[in-house]
Amino acid sequence: MTSYRLPNRGRVDHNKTVRFTFDGKSYDGLAGDTLASALLANGVHLMGRSFKYHRPRGVVSAGSDEPNALMGTSRGPGRFEPNTRATIQELRDGLEATSQNRWPSLAFDLGSVNDRLGSLFSAGFYYKTFMWPRAFWDRVYEPIIRNAAGLGVSPTEPDADRYASRFAHTDVLVIGAGPAGLAAALAAGRSGASVMIVDETTECGGSLLSEPSITIDGKPSWNWLAAAITELASLPNVTVMTRTTAIGYYHQNLVGLAQRLTDHLAAPPNGAPRERLWRVRAREVVLAQGALEKPLIFDGNDRPGVMLAGAAQTYLHRYGVKVGDRPAIVTAHDSAWFAAFDLAEAGAKVVAVVDVRPTVDRALTDRARALGIETLLGHTVTSTSGRLRVKSLRVNRLESGKVGAPRSLSCDAVLMCGGWTPSLHLFSHTKGSLSWDDKLKAFLPGKKTEAVHIAGAGRGLWGIAAALNDGATAGAQAARAIGRDASAQAYAAAADRTGRGVTLKELSTDRNPATAKAFIDFQNDVTAKDIRLAVREGMRSIEHVKRYTTNGMATDQGKMSNINGLMIASDALGKEPPQVGLTTFRPPYTPTTFGTFAGYHQGSTFELTRKTPIDPWAEAHGAAFEPVALWRRAWYFPKSGEDMHAAVGRECRATRASVGIFDASTLGKIEVVGPDAVTFMERMYTNAWAKLGVGRCRYGLLLGEDGFIRDDGVIGRLAADRFHVTTTTGGAARVLNMMEDYLQTEWPDLKVWLTSTTEQWAVIALQGPNARKLLEPFVEGLDLSEASFPHMSVATCKVAGFPARLFRVSFTGELGFEVNVPARHGRALWEKLWEAGQQYNICPYGTETMHVLRAEKGYIIVGQDTDGTLTPDDAGLNWAIGKAKPDFVGKRSLSRPDMVAKGRKQLVGLLTDDPKIVLQEGAQIVADPNQPKPMTMLGHVTSAYWSEALGRSIALAVIADGRARDGQTLHIPIPDRTITARVIKNTVFYDPEGKRLSA
């Protein structure tokens, strides 16, 4: 096996060998290698297959913009990851890597037949092909598409790794640790400001790591770099974080960071997290992300061995790897010439430098001649050859804009450079505007929306000296913006490689345009021809072109393809690039693992399980539990030998016969306080609140702007300026967010304060004919008689010596009270009531019994009996709308034609013809069970229970024109039979007169 490793070059450890495998074959690398550099050192260029055509692909870049070298990597059981970028994955002992998107092997992939059929897979082929005949969709098209979809193989085992998360605040956050970022961090750090500087690679330096020949202030660049890192490490106010990618830039200078902690370790410490998500709030941000090298667009530019010239320079200087013995350089920019010089000085026989420009700086051609490199100015590349690795390059002289006679150059690598594009993804996340620079032919940062400074190549400044000085200025400005005394040091760089170039759309070809393939998006196999076809077929917006062709939709998010695609689209449209614009960049900046976002929330902690203060008592007394929103709630309390049905029946009987005790602590509770509290409540809820007396309660109904039911609950007025609002268990956060949104954006003039008190109050519900007798001896200073404390009253008092808010409310139809006490007293009060209630045969009941009891009374549960499309009238709650109110949230929508049209689904009751049959919730309802399939569904069952009080089953359902169907028999098909049931428009099944509320 030929080795392309150069002895004693690069920043890798030549004394430490690392063993790894690729597609089952064992290789040697060095400590400090990436997977990509180690494979290149072993002469391996073929690393993957493209998505659509399954063409052989090799590494193109040396960073996170890599579109081709995506692999599956494994670190043991439960530690397999697809689509790992080989250019980012650090080498470690025992690393197992496998190629993707090929069968049966990488070198011989049967899927490559798609390449031969390329004319059938042009842009938008799926929109045109899979529309006809429609009968083929289910049986033919969909299975094929599903099998072909996706890149890589999903893990099949649970993730064995741990992930962490952390919050941080800093004065200055510097993103990018190249020359601009380092200078910015030094300037800000020296001022005393707290500074965080992050970089996605393994070490700081950026382009300096590929430029060892440059000197900065008289020092070799690597010596200057070492001194800068040492100084930053010595400053206690500066934090340097490598292996950390800034994945998203959000409002008010919040930046998300994904830090890789242990992926590079062969044996991570026990329990150490794999990755950590940082949420960093910075007072000032400096973006020093540099620029991305653009590939050239020519026929065959995707073969293994064709890569970016800057990447070849990185592999040479950083990893000591020569990407080829006989490389050829194709360029439209000066920077690729320096790559040619460095490779020649490292022992490579550079075949030629092919530059599309007719003239370049004479110093470049003179140095090339001195190194024995042929220069072909005013030449273009028309194709490459080679099956699994490039073997030759076809070049032609450009004569008066036309392609001249071809010439073949034998080579084993092609290094291309189409210039550089400022990296503006993170800046775009902030909705900052971009401005087109016609001289640079690039977008630059425009109007800012955040406290941000852009430095170096990110704003179109080329060269080390320019980046250093601009970074120092940005860092000093950021420090001064927060009140620090900071100055910008001036830097000088010798042998600086500034360079200039031209921007091209695509290189000409002398082949048949129908068979030529010049790729723009390497991963998705989007060609220049596809972009032009999209324009011809009517795509005028760059966003439409993107979706029609999938250009820029690969895992690199268009870092390598967007600008080239834009230039070709603008040419095809006959418009200037700024008139066409760029597609939207969205977080995350690079693909990020789900584990990083989940952090600690995995396994048993994936969702927080909230428990009430009374939960331990319920567990000790044998309760079965169910999850409700984020809470664990007692479902029912089975006695020995009881199943759920028997336990719930017993609880229902006991509560209606004497008294039941229920833990209602999970109800959402919001304190609405302020001089304008009444006005706020009038606007938020459908009901009228101005005339509600202090000490009285009212059912409150909350709608969205669309007029549909969002939440409900009982609301008590504690004072002229104070309301105790209850919400559904699952709706607490949603309702508070909705209230805050309106208060802050629609009615900021209102003097109202909102406070979540859900966890501040434990709530004990006593329901049943003996509820008053049980509670009365514990209440101090309050008369609980019917005359003094009627239904829907609220008062502040003491219960068993504990401060309390006492509500006379019922969700069962029985005489009922809800006692709110501070959460720390909840269990103590429960136990006192439980002990005293023994004389009344008190019965604890759970959520299932609560559901049955409320359904017998026709009380709805939002989210179960509503589905986001029911209006108050649909749910039979028109009585809850304040008729004289001028406005409330959702009022205008209630009068829209569709909201009052006939045929809307309405909540009604259902009684099965066979009273013993309990319907299934969610079951569909039809008028005629013998109609052809697919049947016309009238609605569905929302709630269904066995009622002990009625001795039969009951159900609630939403049915089209439900109330008009009173008395009709409808049908509920289930897998083994069809059930018949009668519609009743009155949903109150039990005690319709409500006499028991005052028992």
Side-chain angles (χ1 to χ4, degrees):
M1 182 185 296
T2 304
S3 174
Y4 292 83
R5 181 80 68 182
L6 298 171
N8 302 315
R9 282 192 82 117
R11 301 174 69 83
V12 290
D13 187 347
H14 288 266
N15 296 315
K16 189 173 181 181
T17 301
V18 179
R19 299 284 294 176
F20 69 102
T21 63
F22 176 55
D23 280 348
K25 186 176 180 180
S26 184
Y27 295 93
D28 285 345
L30 297 178
D33 263 329
T34 62
L35 180 53
S37 67
L39 286 171
L40 290 172
N42 286 279
V44 178
H45 278 259
L46 176 62
M47 298 187 191
R49 291 275 178 168
S50 65
F51 177 63
K52 186 165 68 174
Y53 295 138
H54 286 247
R55 285 172 67 95
R57 291 288 164 80
V59 71
V60 179
S61 75
S64 62
D65 52 342
E66 176 56 39
N68 286 345
L70 305 181
M71 301 178 183
T73 56
S74 176
R75 295 175 295 119
R79 290 184 167 90
F80 171 79
E81 179 186 82
N83 294 321
T84 302
R85 286 154 289 160
T87 52
I88 293 294
Q89 176 62 58
E90 294 176 63
L91 210 60
R92 60 171 180 270
D93 268 319
L95 175 65
E96 297 175 5
T98 54
S99 56
Q100 301 182 154
N101 204 42
R102 82 291 184 276
W103 186 85
S105 69
L106 184 58
F108 180 71
D109 179 15
L110 289 178
S112 62
V113 69
N114 288 359
D115 194 26
R116 306 276 183 172
L117 304 174
S119 59
L120 300 178
F121 298 109
S122 59
F125 78 94
Y126 28 79
Y127 300 120
K128 306 166 188 173
T129 307
F130 302 128
M131 301 300 291
W132 180 90
R134 291 185 63 85
F136 274 33
W137 176 258
D138 292 336
R139 289 173 294 173
V140 180
Y141 298 148
E142 186 178 15
I144 292 173
I145 292 171
R146 286 192 181 278
N147 286 333
L151 200 62
V153 178
S154 297
T156 57
E157 299 174 308
D159 191 344
D161 282 308
R162 293 180 64 248
Y163 299 84
S165 61
R166 189 172 292 179
F167 291 86
H169 291 79
T170 189
D171 291 332
V172 181
L173 173 63
V174 181
I175 299 172
L182 290 169
L186 287 168
R190 289 165 179 164
S191 74
S194 61
V195 177
M196 289 180 72
I197 177 170
V198 302
D199 196 276
E200 67 179 354
T201 60
T202 58
E203 59 177 328
C204 298
S207 59
L208 293 177
L209 301 175
S210 303
E211 302 281 5
S213 60
I214 292 176
T215 60
I216 302 172
D217 292 343
K219 296 179 182 177
S221 60
W222 286 6
N223 291 0
W224 181 90
L225 174 60
I229 294 172
T230 299
E231 181 179 351
L232 288 173
S234 71
L235 295 173
N237 53 308
V238 175
T239 302
V240 180
M241 295 169 58
T242 55
R243 300 185 179 93
T244 304
T245 303
I247 57 175
Y249 192 165
Y250 306 94
H251 187 46
Q252 295 180 338
N253 268 13
L254 177 68
V255 180
L257 308 176
Q259 183 183 23
R260 305 185 303 280
L261 298 171
T262 58
D263 262 6
H264 61 292
L265 302 177
N270 239 356
R274 178 190 176 196
E275 295 175 348
R276 177 181 287 124
L277 177 68
W278 290 79
R279 298 172 181 89
V280 179
R281 186 80 70 179
R283 297 174 70 182
E284 299 285 320
V285 171
V286 177
L287 294 178
Q289 293 178 275
L292 299 168
E293 193 172 11
K294 293 183 293 186
L296 287 169
I297 310 303
F298 55 88
D299 182 27
N301 63 339
D302 66 321
R303 299 187 193 279
V306 180
M307 68 175 64
L308 297 171
Q313 221 170 346
T314 296
Y315 289 118
L316 175 66
H317 293 300
R318 190 166 179 180
Y319 303 106
V321 174
K322 184 175 54 172
V323 297
D325 287 323
R326 295 178 54 79
I329 283 73
V330 186
T331 186
H333 195 275
D334 292 348
S335 62
W337 288 74
F338 298 109
F341 302 155
D342 290 351
L343 282 164
E345 290 172 348
K349 173 60 179 173
V350 180
V351 175
V353 175
V354 182
D355 200 315
V356 297
R357 299 171 293 176
T359 59
V360 297
D361 192 323
R362 185 170 178 177
L364 297 176
T365 55
D366 287 347
R367 187 170 178 192
R369 190 176 302 112
L371 291 169
I373 302 173
E374 182 179 4
T375 58
L376 300 173
L377 302 183
H379 278 66
T380 187
V381 175
T382 51
S383 68
T384 63
S385 72
R387 191 175 77 85
L388 300 180
R389 180 173 176 180
V390 67
K391 291 183 178 179
S392 68
L393 187 67
R394 184 183 176 97
V395 300
N396 307 66
R397 178 181 289 278
L398 289 170
E399 300 168 346
S400 302
K402 296 182 180 180
V403 176
R407 175 185 169 190
S408 181
L409 300 178
S410 177
C411 58
D412 61 357
V414 175
L415 313 181
M416 56 183 171
C417 176
W420 298 80
T421 300
S423 183
L424 297 173
H425 290 63
L426 287 179
F427 179 75
S428 296
H429 292 176
T430 68
K431 292 298 181 183
S433 64
L434 302 179
S435 60
W436 178 255
D437 187 296
D438 202 52
K439 183 179 178 182
L440 292 175
K441 299 295 181 186
F443 282 101
L444 299 180
K447 184 178 179 181
K448 304 173 185 176
T449 61
E450 300 288 342
V452 61
H453 311 263
I454 301 93
R459 66 185 195 96
L461 301 177
W462 312 131
I464 300 299
L468 286 167
N469 287 300
D470 199 47
T473 299
Q477 288 175 342
R480 287 197 292 266
I482 59 171
R484 296 284 182 174
D485 184 14
S487 59
Q489 177 182 340
Y491 296 93
D496 200 355
R497 298 170 169 183
T498 52
R500 60 181 184 273
V502 297
T503 297
L504 303 172
K505 296 176 177 66
E506 62 181 303
L507 300 186
S508 304
T509 181
D510 60 355
R511 291 182 60 197
N512 181 355
T515 58
K517 287 189 175 78
F519 289 92
I520 299 175
D521 188 314
F522 292 94
Q523 192 176 107
N524 284 342
D525 284 327
V526 180
T527 65
K529 184 168 54 180
D530 290 328
I531 302 289
R532 296 187 184 277
L533 176 63
V535 172
R536 287 200 305 274
E537 295 192 349
M539 306 299 144
R540 295 293 180 266
S541 162
I542 194 65
E543 293 285 1
H544 291 164
V545 171
K546 170 182 177 177
R547 282 152 182 80
Y548 196 69
T549 64
T550 69
N551 184 57
M553 294 173 67
T555 54
D556 72 323
Q557 280 210 42
K559 294 181 179 69
M560 195 166 289
S561 61
N562 268 10
I563 287 295
N564 283 331
L566 165 63
M567 298 303 292
I568 294 171
S570 66
D571 182 57
L573 288 165
K575 295 180 178 180
E576 290 300 311
Q579 294 177 287
V580 179
L582 271 178
T583 55
T584 304
F585 297 121
R586 297 181 177 89
Y589 174 73
T590 58
T592 306
T593 63
F594 291 125
T596 300
F597 289 118
Y600 298 109
H601 304 293
Q602 56 178 311
S604 60
T605 59
F606 180 71
E607 279 191 336
L608 177 69
T609 300
R610 300 165 77 179
K611 298 179 182 179
T612 73
I614 301 160
D615 182 276
W617 186 95
E619 185 171 19
H621 285 74
F625 292 93
E626 69 166 340
V628 180
L630 294 179
W631 293 91
R632 182 176 92 150
R633 300 193 70 179
W635 194 7
Y636 58 96
F637 290 81
K639 291 188 175 181
S640 178
E642 283 186 335
D643 61 9
M644 176 176 168
H645 177 77
V648 170
R650 173 181 50 77
E651 291 171 11
C652 288
R653 291 191 301 272
T655 301
R656 295 222 182 270
S658 181
V659 62
I661 186 169
F662 176 69
D663 181 6
S665 304
T666 64
L667 284 173
K669 294 171 279 288
I670 302 169
E671 200 90 350
V672 179
V673 183
D676 296 320
V678 175
T679 302
F680 178 74
M681 293 295 293
E682 288 277 353
R683 294 179 184 180
M684 287 300 303
Y685 282 83
T686 64
N687 320 65
W689 301 95
K691 294 183 180 180
L692 181 68
V694 174
R696 298 294 293 164
C697 303
R698 180 163 289 163
Y699 172 79
L701 188 63
L702 183 69
L703 308 182
E705 284 286 6
D706 51 15
F708 297 133
I709 296 171
R710 288 290 185 273
D711 204 84
D712 70 347
V714 172
I715 298 169
R717 190 168 189 179
L718 301 173
D721 62 349
R722 184 181 296 269
F723 290 87
H724 178 116
V725 177
T726 63
T727 74
T728 57
T729 292
R734 182 176 65 248
V735 172
L736 181 63
N737 287 342
M738 182 177 174
M739 287 181 167
E740 283 286 8
D741 183 43
Y742 277 95
L743 189 60
Q744 294 183 33
T745 63
E746 303 297 325
W747 314 314
D749 56 309
L750 295 185
K751 295 181 179 179
V752 177
W753 294 268
L754 308 174
T755 306
S756 172
T757 58
T758 298
E759 295 190 357
Q760 275 60 52
W761 297 103
V763 183
I764 300 171
L766 293 174
Q767 304 283 307
N770 288 320
R772 182 186 287 114
K773 293 179 184 177
L774 171 59
L775 183 62
E776 215 162 21
F778 291 96
V779 178
E780 302 174 26
L782 182 65
D783 181 1
L784 294 189
S785 67
E786 181 68 26
S788 298
F789 200 64
H791 182 58
M792 299 301 277
S793 297
V794 61
T796 300
C797 60
K798 283 192 173 184
V799 178
F802 303 126
R805 288 179 179 177
L806 181 60
F807 287 75
R808 168 82 188 276
V809 293
S810 173
F811 200 46
T812 64
E814 302 292 335
L815 171 67
F817 299 87
E818 289 183 3
V819 188
N820 289 248
V821 295
R824 64 184 180 277
H825 302 311
R827 182 169 178 179
L829 177 59
W830 176 282
E831 290 176 341
K832 287 177 182 291
L833 293 171
W834 171 253
E835 183 179 355
Q838 297 305 308
Q839 60 183 311
Y840 302 109
N841 295 317
I842 189 170
C843 177
Y845 67 92
T847 54
E848 188 66 17
T849 296
M850 176 268 290
H851 278 261
V852 175
L853 298 177
R854 66 89 195 172
E856 291 174 341
K857 291 294 296 179
Y859 299 150
I860 70 166
I861 290 184
V862 174
Q864 178 168 331
D865 299 302
T866 67
D867 62 359
T869 66
L870 260 61
T871 68
D873 181 67
D874 297 337
L877 296 174
N878 257 354
W879 56 267
I881 296 178
K883 302 299 186 293
K885 292 182 67 171
D887 200 9
F888 54 81
V889 174
K891 178 179 174 65
R892 285 168 292 178
S893 294
L894 294 179
S895 59
R896 286 164 43 208
D898 284 352
M899 305 291 264
V900 295
K902 291 183 178 180
R904 289 191 60 82
K905 291 182 178 179
Q906 298 168 337
L907 188 70
V908 293
L910 282 182
L911 294 176
T912 54
D913 289 344
D914 183 345
K916 294 181 179 179
I917 295 177
V918 178
L919 295 173
Q920 294 180 357
E921 293 177 353
Q924 297 294 310
I925 302 168
V926 301
D928 178 8
N930 299 315
Q931 61 183 290
K933 296 178 181 178
M935 295 183 180
T936 300
M937 303 297 177
L938 298 178
H940 70 280
V941 178
T942 63
S943 298
Y945 308 99
W946 173 260
S947 168
E948 283 290 318
L950 300 172
R952 62 156 300 130
S953 67
I954 59 172
L956 298 174
V958 287
I959 299 173
D961 275 331
R963 291 192 289 270
R965 297 179 185 272
D966 187 33
Q968 285 187 19
T969 296
L970 299 179
H971 305 267
I972 301 94
I974 60 175
D976 60 340
R977 56 183 162 156
T978 297
I979 302 170
T980 55
R982 179 168 51 89
V983 177
I984 57 170
K985 66 179 181 181
N986 183 5
T987 57
V988 184
F989 299 97
Y990 177 76
D991 186 27
E993 298 84 10
K995 294 179 180 179
R996 297 183 65 87
L997 282 172
S998 303

